[in-house]
Amino acid sequence: MSDLRVHDVLIVGAGPCGLAVAARLSEPMPAANFSDDEHQRYHWIRRHKPSIKNYKSGLEKRRKSSAASSRGAELDLLVLDATDNRWMARWDHLFKTFAISHLRSPMFFHVDPAERDGLLSYTYRNDRGNELTELRGCVGKELSKHQRKKRERSGRIPRTEPTVDERDRNDYFVPSTPLFASHCGCLMDRYGLRSNMVSHERVEDIRFGYAEDVSEVDKIFTIRTDKGVHRAKVVVLAVGGNPPHIPEADVPTEGLEAATHAMHIKEFPASPVRAKIGAKLQTNIVVIGGGLTSAQLADLAIRRGVSKVWLLMRGPLKVKPFDVGLEWVGKFRNFEQAAFWTSNSVEERWEKIMAARNGGSITPPYKKVLERHISTGRLCLLQNTTIKEKHWDKFSKTWAVSVSDDSQTLPRIDHIYFATGVKSDFECLPFLQSICSEYRGSPEYPIESCGGLPCITENMAWRDDVPLFIAGRLAALQLGPGAPNLIGARIGAERIAWSIQDVLGAKESGNDTDTKKREFDYLTGRGSRYDALAEAA
């Protein structure tokens, strides 16, 4: 099947990042993601200031406040997803597979573009407050400036104390999985994003250039999938990194049926393990990884009848509420994020990202869960430990595993699960090979990289002359350490929407110029908001 019409926007990926972009493009009055001062400060918004000044002087028309308000229902949007023909299919599958009851993200991490507290208001509007779980240890009275200076002068080492003010306590709850799914469904209904918008297709190749049968003046994208060909003026890449693989050093040459990456799990535990559980035989599995997924798998395996689990971490166990440090999780004033955006080089940004995420970690509640399993003897947690050797016995269908800690002797292992995350290396993505490949001896659309991440523009584009926009994990050099999370999805969608509006060349009707100017000034923190409220009244 080939689709020869040219879509305005084609989104690759129907997960949270893709949904965030589609919702933002459909929202005429988006909520501000930052405070007024931050809007004035951050460089990505400054590029719009000349348009405001020129508009006031009458030299040129101002850009519209939103791509959606200029195009509305006329925006021709197509979404391609490799998992299913609906939004959030892979997300839902993984949450169901791992039996995850609550998200790790706080209430203000969501993809609603209309309201900063959209998830919180949705929760109480639908009387579902009982589905929230408090993040203990995050909220408390902050140290005053005087107290901080006193500690610094005395040379005392600061204690690990809550850094979130008491007035933000309502934000530091986590929603249940069904609640978050309902909120996402509400967004799909609000913006009419359900009907045939998502197509179940795996993207194989993306090319950018002239299409003779379309235009010899404007370049467009040609996207080839396993089911046909599509064309688009703009492409948004909203994928969650590279396809998951077992680390190269641990890839088995045999026994592949008993070694699985967590992202490839279809049933848990595997059928042979469940058969032994049903026969009341001893079962042992190994889970490798230091992140929350490894803890979730270990807990789930024990709850589903596995006799004993060995949890191997190559480093120490790290415990924190979020993927990033609490200092990076701010609703209004995020000084760490401000420092990130003002870094002098991409290398400095990369270092900040690595320091902020600092490898895998588990949450305090799951630490208690693991401790409970350890106390019963059902779980053995081995930190700073890796697999030294493993041999598959095709007769017993089990592994003989030895680890780097010589004091530990493991019994025969029925299954090894690798909760080792996914790689972030855009140059290894198959469908980007044409964009990255050489043409006449040099890359057709060259782009720098740092740590496997593309050095995209401040507008979230591949290059200024290539309207391929990057969302999510691969956009971390622009979005910061939170790029793979829900907050990165929403902030990235906001910035991408601004840029798409420019690319599509939205034009404003003269009749609503003043109204749209006031909307723009209000949303970007310019002028007097009291005037805007007075005019609205």
Side-chain angles (χ1 to χ4, degrees):
M1 177 190 71
S2 295
D3 186 358
L4 296 181
R5 80 175 188 265
V6 180
H7 300 277
D8 290 324
V9 180
L10 186 146
I11 300 175
V12 180
C17 292
L19 178 60
V21 172
R24 173 60 184 83
L25 288 170
S26 304
E27 173 55 57
M29 287 290 287
N33 282 311
F34 303 102
S35 68
D36 297 355
D37 291 342
E38 287 170 332
H39 265 296
Q40 296 286 350
R41 178 176 182 179
Y42 297 143
H43 55 262
W44 66 268
I45 198 69
R46 288 206 298 263
R47 68 186 302 272
H48 295 275
K49 288 185 180 179
S51 297
I52 296 295
K53 293 178 181 177
N54 289 340
Y55 170 80
K56 289 182 177 181
S57 64
L59 297 179
E60 72 176 43
K61 287 189 176 181
R62 178 185 55 81
R63 296 182 178 93
K64 287 195 78 171
S65 60
S66 125
S69 61
S70 65
R71 302 187 67 83
E74 298 178 4
L75 188 68
D76 186 352
L77 180 63
L78 175 66
V79 183
L80 304 179
D81 189 77
T83 302
D84 207 340
N85 61 349
R86 62 182 180 86
W87 292 103
M88 305 289 285
R90 182 166 176 76
W91 173 285
D92 293 341
H93 166 73
L94 292 175
F95 270 64
K96 180 179 180 180
T97 300
F98 300 155
I100 300 174
S101 62
H102 287 75
L103 274 67
R104 189 176 190 175
S105 303
M107 295 301 288
F108 54 93
F109 280 23
H110 56 79
V111 296
D112 187 348
E115 186 180 354
R116 185 197 295 262
D117 295 317
L119 178 56
L120 188 64
S121 61
Y122 175 84
T123 299
Y124 290 112
R125 187 167 61 246
N126 291 276
D127 195 26
R128 298 179 67 171
N130 61 330
E131 296 184 47
L132 305 182
T133 298
E134 184 177 2
L135 288 165
R136 299 187 181 278
C138 290
V139 181
K141 192 170 183 61
E142 296 175 308
L143 287 175
S144 68
K145 186 183 297 185
H146 170 72
Q147 289 172 316
R148 292 185 187 278
K149 288 183 177 180
K150 185 177 180 180
R151 286 194 175 188
E152 290 175 4
R153 285 195 298 266
S154 65
R156 292 170 55 192
I157 300 176
R159 299 196 305 268
T160 303
E161 299 203 16
T163 59
V164 181
D165 193 87
E166 181 68 33
R167 61 193 170 202
D168 291 328
R169 179 177 291 276
N170 284 341
D171 295 318
Y172 286 87
F173 286 75
V174 291
S176 69
T177 298
L179 174 60
F180 183 77
S182 297
H183 181 240
C184 289
C186 176
L187 300 183
M188 299 171 204
D189 294 332
R190 180 196 305 169
Y191 299 117
L193 302 178
R194 291 188 188 272
S195 58
N196 301 320
M197 181 174 289
V198 181
S199 180
H200 183 197
E201 302 181 45
R202 184 180 300 277
V203 174
E204 298 176 345
D205 185 55
I206 299 175
R207 294 177 181 270
F208 183 63
Y210 297 107
E212 294 182 359
D213 55 338
V214 177
S215 173
E216 296 182 357
V217 178
D218 298 319
K219 292 182 178 181
I220 63 170
F221 287 96
T222 300
I223 301 93
R224 178 169 56 82
T225 73
D226 58 345
K227 295 183 180 179
V229 177
H230 303 277
R231 291 174 174 175
K233 299 173 185 176
V234 172
V235 170
V236 178
L237 194 60
V239 297
N242 297 69
H245 293 292
I246 294 174
E248 187 174 344
D250 295 316
V251 175
T253 56
E254 53 184 351
L256 296 175
E257 67 272 23
T260 309
H261 192 284
M263 297 297 108
H264 289 154
I265 294 174
K266 291 183 171 57
E267 56 180 0
F268 187 82
S271 297
V273 179
R274 287 190 289 113
K276 292 181 72 172
I277 293 172
K280 301 192 182 303
L281 299 175
Q282 176 75 18
T283 50
N284 306 294
I285 70 170
V286 166
V287 178
I288 300 173
L292 184 57
T293 300
S294 66
Q296 291 167 336
L297 287 178
D299 171 52
L300 185 60
I302 292 171
R303 288 192 285 116
R304 291 186 175 176
V306 172
S307 303
K308 189 160 185 177
V309 176
W310 276 261
L311 178 55
L312 274 57
M313 299 181 177
R314 66 179 179 183
L317 174 65
K318 295 186 282 289
V319 182
K320 54 186 180 181
F322 312 110
D323 292 332
V324 296
L326 191 58
E327 69 275 11
W328 285 89
V329 182
K331 185 177 179 182
F332 292 101
R333 300 282 182 179
N334 193 326
F335 298 106
E336 295 291 343
Q337 194 75 25
F340 174 84
W341 278 329
T342 55
S343 298
N344 294 323
S345 66
V346 291
E347 289 78 15
E348 186 179 346
R349 289 189 177 191
W350 168 251
E351 291 173 0
K352 289 182 183 295
I353 292 170
M354 297 303 291
R357 298 194 71 84
N358 192 28
S361 63
I362 69 171
T363 60
Y366 262 99
K367 181 176 183 289
K368 293 182 179 179
V369 170
L370 296 186
E371 289 173 343
R372 185 172 69 248
H373 291 318
I374 291 172
S375 68
T376 63
R378 302 280 301 278
L379 174 68
C380 181
L381 173 62
L382 301 180
Q383 302 179 53
N384 303 298
T385 303
T386 59
I387 289 182
K388 185 166 59 176
E389 290 182 339
K390 59 183 182 297
H391 300 286
W392 175 250
D393 185 338
K394 62 182 180 181
F395 298 106
S396 65
K397 303 292 185 183
T398 58
W399 292 99
V401 177
S402 61
V403 296
S404 57
D405 185 351
D406 295 332
S407 66
Q408 296 290 334
T409 302
L410 275 61
R412 305 296 301 191
I413 300 298
D414 295 291
H415 207 109
I416 302 175
Y417 290 97
F418 294 86
T420 50
V422 295
K423 193 177 179 182
S424 296
D425 188 352
F426 76 99
E427 293 178 310
C428 294
L429 292 172
F431 50 80
L432 287 181
Q433 295 308 303
S434 294
I435 293 284
C436 298
S437 64
E438 292 190 353
Y439 176 73
R440 293 181 180 177
S442 62
E444 191 167 6
Y445 300 106
I447 183 174
E448 297 293 328
S449 67
C450 182
L453 300 175
C455 297
I456 57 178
T457 70
E458 293 179 356
N459 301 323
M460 310 294 291
W462 183 268
R463 292 185 357 173
D464 288 332
D465 58 342
V466 181
L468 169 62
F469 297 97
I470 312 296
R473 181 185 303 272
L474 294 177
L477 291 178
Q478 284 297 332
L479 296 177
N485 305 109
L486 291 172
I487 188 62
R490 192 179 70 190
I491 295 175
E494 174 71 17
R495 294 174 63 173
I496 288 171
W498 278 101
S499 302
I500 288 178
Q501 168 246 313
D502 288 341
V503 172
L504 296 182
K507 293 189 177 180
E508 199 169 308
S509 64
N511 294 332
D512 62 353
T513 294
D514 291 339
T515 300
K516 295 301 181 183
K517 175 188 178 303
R518 288 193 294 271
E519 290 177 1
F520 182 88
D521 289 345
Y522 182 86
L523 292 172
T524 54
R526 292 172 173 76
S528 170
R529 292 198 169 189
Y530 294 104
D531 290 343
L533 292 173
E535 291 170 2

